[in-house]
Amino acid sequence: MIKNIMLIDDNKIDLFVNQRILEKYNPNVKTRVFNNAISAISFFKLMELNANIKSVAIPDVILLDVNMPEMNGFNFFEEFKQLNFMNTRTIEIYMVSSSMCPDDINKARNEPYCAGYITKPLTVNKLKKVLQKSVNIEQHESFKKII
């Protein structure tokens, strides 16, 4: 069961709307929001230092914006791979973008930690597909583009 979801997006309106969509889908899911990828990576690094909060705070799913200043979604993956706790926990990371650029989609498809690519705007139906896929990890499909 999905209990924790992290949203990473530099657009405050998208963050607000996506958080409301998550609440509409399941009000019991805890949502942690970051308006840039650097802050999210810093959060994970702090979690590595404090073993007591890992089980409570580690997200089951991350919805990661592709295009952000300072650190984009692809740069986030490079930093994310360096985290030590990743060997003990599976986190499904979906890239979210308004871009239908084939280069971005192919780059996401080739990223081993990327579970899929979601085009904006996020909707309840798209979220259902993502969360149902994440719950059924034993039936885990390969990377799937979600429109």
Side-chain angles (χ1 to χ4, degrees):
M1 182 172 159
I2 305 296
K3 295 180 182 177
N4 296 303
I5 296 179
M6 179 181 285
L7 299 174
I8 307 171
D9 198 319
D10 64 314
N11 185 316
K12 292 179 183 179
I13 294 170
D14 286 343
L15 282 174
F16 177 80
V17 170
N18 292 346
Q19 201 167 5
R20 295 301 164 259
I21 289 169
L22 285 166
E23 289 170 1
K24 184 175 181 180
Y25 176 75
N26 184 347
N28 297 320
V29 172
K30 292 182 176 78
T31 306
R32 187 172 307 274
V33 177
F34 292 92
N35 63 5
N36 65 64
I38 294 171
S39 296
I41 289 295
S42 295
F43 171 78
F44 283 122
K45 288 179 179 179
L46 285 172
M47 283 180 23
E48 282 186 327
L49 297 174
N50 188 346
N52 297 330
I53 64 169
K54 283 184 185 177
S55 62
V56 176
I58 295 178
D60 301 302
V61 173
I62 297 174
L63 301 179
L64 173 66
D65 187 26
V66 174
N67 297 311
M68 294 180 284
E70 297 180 42
M71 180 186 287
N72 68 28
F74 296 108
N75 299 134
F76 172 87
F77 279 116
E78 295 306 314
E79 293 291 322
F80 189 76
K81 290 173 190 174
Q82 305 303 314
L83 300 170
N84 293 324
F85 73 85
M86 286 313 304
N87 298 329
T88 61
R89 182 77 185 260
T90 300
I91 300 174
E92 295 274 313
I93 304 174
Y94 292 86
M95 298 199 87
V96 182
S97 180
S98 55
S99 168
M100 290 293 293
C101 175
D103 290 341
D104 284 345
I105 294 169
N106 286 330
K107 193 171 180 181
R109 179 168 291 153
N110 292 324
E111 172 52 57
Y113 282 92
C114 185
Y117 192 93
I118 304 168
T119 55
K120 289 182 181 180
L122 184 65
T123 64
V124 173
N125 286 336
K126 290 177 186 178
L127 186 62
K128 282 180 186 177
K129 288 180 186 179
V130 167
L131 297 185
Q132 287 170 355
K133 179 182 174 210
S134 295
V135 167
N136 298 320
I137 290 177
E138 64 277 356
Q139 300 171 355
H140 188 44
E141 304 168 19
S142 61
F143 176 92
K144 179 170 116 181
K145 180 178 145 190
I146 299 173
I147 297 176

